Amino acid sequence: MISEPSRYYAVELHALPSRIGQIRRIVSAHLRQWHLDALVDHAVLGVTELLTNVHRHAQPDKRCTVEIELLLDRLTVSVRDHDPRIPRAADLDGADDGAFDSAFDSAFDSDGSDEFEGLATSGRGLAIVRAVSESWGVRPCGDDGKVVWFTLTAPPSAPPVEERVHVVHVPPTERAYTEYDPFPVLAGHAG
């Protein structure tokens, strides 16, 4: 039995740089509306990296769908594109048989000039997603593409604040005292 309602939002777009900024603002606004302010920075960073990957690498087009879903204490952010190729995250700490080191080493020509284009496509974005999320993964969708997703743990929600209505009850036997003498009028003052 689910005790808390699920929240869901999806938007379709072309992963162009101008649209990526708009999606960051949309995701941020939804998370704030859902009272998940603590997740905004990591969610926005993650979705930016996933959309940048679609913009840079997806073929045949840049169409994609961004989904954010809150179910119980788990926020899932996913991006579906139409490219069936499965991405691989770089291991930025060098533990993965030196893949990042070799990518870095190959970014230099023999003449010492920089060629960071190869490094830029080495999976750094997914390594960042891995670093800021609780979990991440790729779900192949056959020839229709794939879904790349990540999860964040939502902070415990604060218990709802009870609204208290304070009613002042005056017993029927009490009433305003009306038997006072009127205030005296001071000489020279009109009342």
Side-chain angles (χ1 to χ4, degrees):
M1 180 173 112
I2 297 175
S3 61
E4 295 182 28
S6 174
R7 294 190 176 115
Y8 177 81
Y9 176 78
V11 61
E12 293 182 26
L13 68 140
H14 282 84
L16 303 173
S18 61
R19 295 289 292 154
I20 293 171
Q22 291 172 345
I23 297 303
R24 281 196 306 260
R25 290 186 294 278
I26 289 170
V27 168
S28 176
H30 274 81
L31 295 182
R32 290 183 199 288
Q33 180 183 14
W34 297 348
H35 304 288
L36 297 172
D37 298 45
L39 302 182
V40 169
D41 290 341
H42 287 167
V44 167
L45 177 60
V47 79
T48 299
E49 294 300 333
L50 296 183
L51 288 173
T52 300
N53 283 349
V54 173
H55 173 71
R56 296 184 79 157
H57 305 293
Q59 298 172 3
D61 59 41
K62 308 302 180 190
R63 289 180 306 125
C64 62
T65 303
V66 174
E67 297 176 306
I68 54 174
E69 181 177 29
L70 176 65
L71 185 58
L72 299 176
D73 68 341
R74 181 101 38 235
L75 178 73
T76 302
V77 179
S78 61
V79 174
R80 178 184 180 135
D81 65 45
H82 300 280
D83 188 341
R85 296 177 298 160
I86 303 300
R88 179 175 169 265
D91 187 8
L92 295 181
D93 62 13
D96 184 1
D97 66 61
F100 186 72
D101 292 336
S102 64
F104 185 80
D105 291 340
S106 67
F108 292 95
D109 278 340
S110 58
D111 64 357
S113 64
D114 294 343
E115 287 187 11
F116 281 105
E117 186 59 31
L119 182 60
T121 60
S122 67
R124 281 185 311 175
L126 290 176
I128 291 169
V129 168
R130 179 178 63 202
V132 301
S133 66
E134 180 178 303
S135 61
W136 77 279
V138 180
R139 187 173 61 246
C141 300
D143 291 338
D144 292 331
K146 65 186 168 298
V147 176
V148 182
W149 56 268
F150 65 92
T151 63
L152 300 169
T153 300
S157 60
V161 176
E162 286 185 38
E163 282 192 36
R164 296 180 188 231
V165 178
H166 297 283
V167 176
V168 177
H169 179 69
V170 178
T173 59
E174 293 182 17
R175 60 182 191 279
Y177 187 72
T178 59
E179 298 179 19
Y180 290 111
D181 291 331
F183 285 103
V185 176
L186 298 174
H189 292 106

